[in-house]
């Protein structure tokens, strides 16, 4: 596997004609631009992770049935600094670089302090983005590099932070019909808040503005979503877009900011600060592009790790989106070069198997709804002026079908004449079995848990046994 993943590649600076077999369609005219890691060692130093390698751009130019290939390393500041030093001196996500051991103690101390809040690499090795008439090599940091798509020459560096407050950004933007770019990034502890920022870059300078100005100066924040954790935002690689909505999955694969701030001192990579929390939920954020606000209804699903969205569209009052999902973050771990080049077959067997998952999210939830994602049919319960809390399913004893049981929901009303009540629905038919009204000032709740009598009896028995054991342990002990 070292032949594929670990070996440094040579540049092909001049176009070389490819040998074509078969017949290329006459209408296929253009250039395929690609990007990825191509250099994994610099001097005697080696990157730890495949995603860390220095970016190598390459292209296939198709003209009149002929194909020409060329490749060139991205001349990023990272590349130039490493090559000049003949060693890896700029840290990447899975590889932490350290100062020259020959430097004096003051230089070393300054280097440690400067990494407390890291300035990320501009080794843009993941994707190619089109912005207006320009093309950029991108990664997941705040830096992107403009390139010449014909010669693969590296041009100026763009820092997202000059135009929108993000420390990290995806390499998978979306484009609307006008060519405007829609992307998102994470703003870490900006003015005491950590949030996910969706931003829009116009394809051209708006009319009436001074000619010659860059579209970047007209970047606007489209929407922002508060992170569920101030110091542990979610990692994400992409997001979904439909005609009217944006889909963002806040998954429990999270970056510990405090660990990241001290990673350099602890001689750990930034990647070691990522952790998957399988006990947590994945939250589905839906943003209405017309209002630029998240929809009020909150959705969530089981813990998963998603790198790529496959498709998204609107149909029959639902947002339907497909993702490639993993049960954990083991895929990222697999791409450490040590795992790729040693016992690869065995290591790949231990990796979470990717699954294509389809989600159908109802756009207009009028109180409580039961939705069949296969038939796209639904059953509803609603009542005027009533506001149900989170519905909770309680399975019947010995249940065989997944909907054999009841739905419980605490209901409050905006009608002062209507008492709040506990609603009990048949989960299969969604017909009301009973309601229990209470003459109290009941609040709108969030989440909860149903404890059966059996659960309660078990807890009481355990508590009684613990109390007995404590009494036994104290038996005969002298008083003090």
């Amino acid at each position: 596997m070292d032949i594929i993943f670990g070996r440094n590649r040579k540049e092909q600076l001049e176009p070389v004609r490819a040998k074509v077999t078969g017949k290329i369609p006459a209408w296929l005219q253009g250039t395929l631009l690609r990007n990825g890691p191509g250099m994994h060692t610099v001097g005697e130093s080696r990157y730890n992770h495949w995603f860390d390698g220095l970016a190598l751009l390459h292209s296939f130019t198709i003209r009149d049935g002929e194909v020409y290939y060329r490749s060139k390393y991205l001349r990023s500041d990272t590349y130039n600094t490493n090559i000049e030093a003949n060693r890896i001196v700029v840290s990447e996500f899975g590889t932490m670089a350290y100062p020259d051991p020959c430097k004096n103690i003051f230089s070393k101390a300054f280097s440690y302090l400067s990494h407390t809040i890291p300035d990320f690499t501009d080794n843009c090795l993941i994707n190619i983005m089109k912005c207006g008439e320009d093309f950029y090599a991108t990664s997941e940091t705040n830096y992107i590099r403009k390139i010449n798509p014909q010669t693969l020459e590296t041009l100026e560096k763009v820092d997202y932070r000059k135009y929108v407050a993000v420390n990290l950004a995806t390499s998978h933007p979306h484009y609307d019909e006008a060519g405007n770019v829609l992307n998102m990034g994470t703003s870490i502890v900006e003015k005491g808040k950590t949030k996910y920022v969706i931003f829009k870059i116009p394809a051209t300078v708006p009319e009436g503005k001074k000619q010659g100005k860059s579209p970047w100066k007209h970047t606007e924040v489209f929407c922002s979503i508060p992170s569920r954790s101030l110091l542990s935002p979610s990692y994400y690689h992409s997001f979904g877009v439909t005609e009217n909505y944006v889909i963002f999955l806040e998954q429990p694969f999270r970056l510990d900011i405090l660990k990241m701030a001290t990673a350099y001192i602890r001689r750990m990579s930034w990647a070691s600060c990522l952790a998957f929390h399988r006990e947590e939920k994945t939250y589905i954020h839906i943003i209405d592009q017309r209002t630029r606000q998240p929809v009020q209804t909150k959705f969530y699903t089981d813990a998963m790790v998603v790198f790529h969205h496959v498709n998204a569209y609107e149909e029959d009052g639902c947002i339907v989106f497909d993702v490639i999902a993993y049960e954990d973050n083991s895929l990222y771990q697999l791409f450490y070069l040590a795992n790729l080049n040693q016992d690869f077959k065995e290591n790949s067997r231990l990796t979470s198997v990717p699954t294509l998952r389809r989600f159908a999210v109802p756009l207009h939830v009028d109180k409580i709804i039961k939705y069949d994602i296969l038939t796209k049919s639904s059953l509803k319960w609603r009542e005027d002026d009533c506001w149900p809390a989170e519905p909770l399913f309680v399975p019947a004893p010995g249940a065989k079908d997944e909907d054999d049981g009841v739905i419980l929901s605490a209901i409050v009303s905006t009608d002062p004449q209507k008492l709040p009540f506990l609603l009990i629905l048949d989960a299969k038919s969604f017909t009301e079995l009973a309601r229990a009204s209470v003459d109290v000032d009941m609040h709108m709740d969030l989440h909860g848990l149903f404890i059966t009598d059996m659960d309660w009896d078990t807890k009481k028995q355990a508590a009684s046994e613990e109390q007995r054991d404590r009494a036994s342990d104290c038996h005969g002990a002298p008083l003090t």
Side-chain angles (χ1 to χ4, degrees):
M1 298 305 292
D2 188 65
I3 295 175
I4 296 177
F5 292 106
R7 183 166 59 86
N8 289 355
R9 306 292 168 161
K10 293 182 180 179
E11 293 177 311
Q12 179 60 48
L13 299 178
E14 296 301 321
V16 59
R17 185 176 177 180
K19 182 181 178 180
V20 176
T21 58
K23 185 177 181 180
I24 296 174
W27 54 263
L28 188 59
Q29 309 278 337
T31 299
L32 172 65
L33 285 172
R34 302 287 293 175
N35 193 359
M39 187 182 297
H40 304 281
T41 62
V42 183
E44 297 298 317
S45 57
R46 174 178 290 271
Y47 287 113
N48 296 328
H49 201 281
W50 187 60
F51 295 163
D52 293 344
L54 293 175
L56 179 60
L57 305 170
H58 62 166
S59 65
F60 298 85
T61 300
I62 306 170
R63 289 286 184 272
D64 301 323
E66 295 182 348
V67 178
Y68 290 85
Y69 176 85
R70 75 193 310 166
S71 65
K72 189 171 185 177
Y73 278 103
L74 184 75
R75 263 46 176 195
S76 60
D77 293 347
T78 295
Y79 175 93
N80 293 330
T81 303
N82 286 345
I83 296 301
E84 182 180 354
N86 196 34
R87 60 188 292 267
I88 298 170
V89 293
V90 180
S91 298
E92 300 293 338
F93 209 62
T95 306
M96 190 63 76
Y98 295 95
D100 190 326
C102 297
K103 289 185 177 181
N104 62 47
I105 190 170
F106 298 104
S107 177
K108 289 181 183 179
F110 179 78
S111 183
Y112 275 93
L113 290 173
S114 67
H115 278 75
T116 302
I117 301 176
D119 185 22
F120 293 112
T121 176
D122 69 335
N123 177 35
C124 303
L125 77 159
I126 296 180
N127 204 356
I128 305 292
M129 180 179 78
K130 186 176 188 293
C131 184
E133 299 301 316
D134 299 324
F135 295 84
Y136 296 84
T138 68
S139 64
E140 294 185 328
T141 73
N142 52 289
Y143 293 117
I144 61 176
R145 294 297 305 231
K146 186 177 178 181
I147 63 169
N148 183 313
Q150 279 77 42
T151 65
L152 304 184
E153 180 185 2
T154 303
L155 305 174
E156 62 261 30
K157 179 168 70 173
V158 174
D159 184 350
Y160 275 132
R161 293 176 299 181
K162 291 183 178 180
Y163 310 103
V164 60
V166 293
N167 304 89
L168 304 166
T170 82
S171 273
H172 289 283
H174 290 270
Y175 309 90
D176 63 19
E177 293 179 353
N180 301 312
V181 178
L182 192 67
N183 203 1
M184 69 179 299
T186 302
S187 177
I188 300 174
V189 198
E190 170 70 16
K191 297 180 180 178
K193 297 179 181 179
T194 295
K195 55 189 176 182
Y196 311 105
V197 180
I198 301 173
F199 56 95
K200 191 172 186 178
I201 309 165
T204 58
V205 175
E207 291 184 12
K209 301 294 182 180
K210 186 177 179 180
Q211 293 299 315
K213 282 206 170 184
S214 167
W216 290 99
K217 295 184 182 296
H218 301 281
T219 300
E220 60 175 327
V221 173
F222 191 82
C223 177
S224 63
I225 303 166
S227 169
R228 296 184 65 82
S229 171
L230 176 67
L231 297 176
S232 296
S234 170
Y235 170 82
Y236 53 98
H237 185 71
S238 61
F239 61 105
V241 171
T242 69
E243 181 181 359
N244 296 301
Y245 296 92
V246 174
I247 304 116
F248 165 57
L249 301 180
E250 189 177 13
Q251 54 197 8
F253 185 27
R254 298 195 275 113
L255 179 64
D256 189 315
I257 302 303
L258 292 180
K259 285 186 177 180
M260 187 179 73
T262 59
Y264 189 81
I265 297 173
R266 294 184 293 111
R267 304 185 75 83
M268 300 294 289
S269 70
W270 293 320
S272 70
C273 306
L274 277 169
F276 178 64
H277 303 267
R278 65 176 65 252
E279 73 282 0
E280 297 181 5
K281 296 293 185 182
T282 298
Y283 288 85
I284 304 171
H285 298 279
I286 306 294
I287 299 92
D288 191 324
Q289 293 195 56
R290 295 158 297 189
T291 64
R292 300 192 174 193
Q293 295 293 326
V295 299
Q296 291 186 349
T297 309
K298 306 303 178 186
F299 304 95
Y300 59 88
T301 187
D302 291 336
M304 61 180 179
V305 172
V306 170
F307 294 100
H308 295 107
H309 285 245
V310 178
N311 195 16
Y313 59 92
E314 299 165 34
E315 182 180 77
D316 298 332
C318 290
I319 293 175
V320 181
F321 65 94
D322 304 323
V323 296
I324 303 296
Y326 298 82
E327 292 183 352
D328 54 38
N329 63 319
S330 55
L331 178 70
Y332 188 90
Q333 301 301 317
L334 176 66
F335 279 92
Y336 277 98
L337 289 171
N339 295 331
L340 289 172
N341 298 327
Q342 298 176 18
D343 302 320
F344 174 75
K345 289 186 177 179
E346 180 62 27
N347 290 332
S348 61
R349 290 193 192 102
L350 302 176
T351 303
S352 172
V353 177
T355 58
L356 176 62
R357 298 189 190 180
R358 168 160 290 184
F359 292 84
V361 178
L363 288 171
H364 307 290
V365 180
D366 195 9
K367 314 311 168 196
I368 302 175
I369 186 170
K370 175 185 178 181
Y371 189 82
D372 190 318
I373 62 172
L374 297 179
T375 65
K376 297 177 183 173
S377 60
S378 63
L379 296 173
K380 300 178 182 178
W381 178 92
R382 71 174 306 278
E383 190 170 298
D384 290 345
D385 305 317
C386 286
W387 292 75
E390 175 192 41
L392 192 67
F393 174 69
V394 181
K400 295 182 178 180
D401 298 328
E402 65 176 357
D403 57 357
D404 187 5
V406 297
I407 298 292
L408 304 180
S409 180
I411 312 292
V412 295
S413 177
T414 54
D415 182 354
Q417 303 302 316
K418 185 177 292 186
L419 294 176
F421 58 94
L422 172 67
L423 175 68
I424 305 174
L425 298 177
D426 181 276
K428 191 178 293 289
S429 64
F430 245 51
T431 55
E432 183 175 329
L433 297 177
R435 66 174 64 187
S437 301
V438 285
D439 190 3
V440 297
D441 185 19
M442 196 165 76
H443 65 293
M444 186 74 174
D445 64 31
L446 293 172
H447 304 291
L449 180 71
F450 182 76
I451 303 175
T452 66
D453 284 345
M454 184 177 296
D455 292 332
W456 186 249
D457 290 342
T458 301
K459 288 183 179 181
K460 287 195 294 185
Q461 181 179 353
S464 177
E465 291 175 354
E466 182 180 0
Q467 186 177 16
R468 185 181 65 243
D469 290 342
R470 286 179 178 175
S472 176
D473 291 340
C474 294
H475 183 70
L479 295 175
T480 58

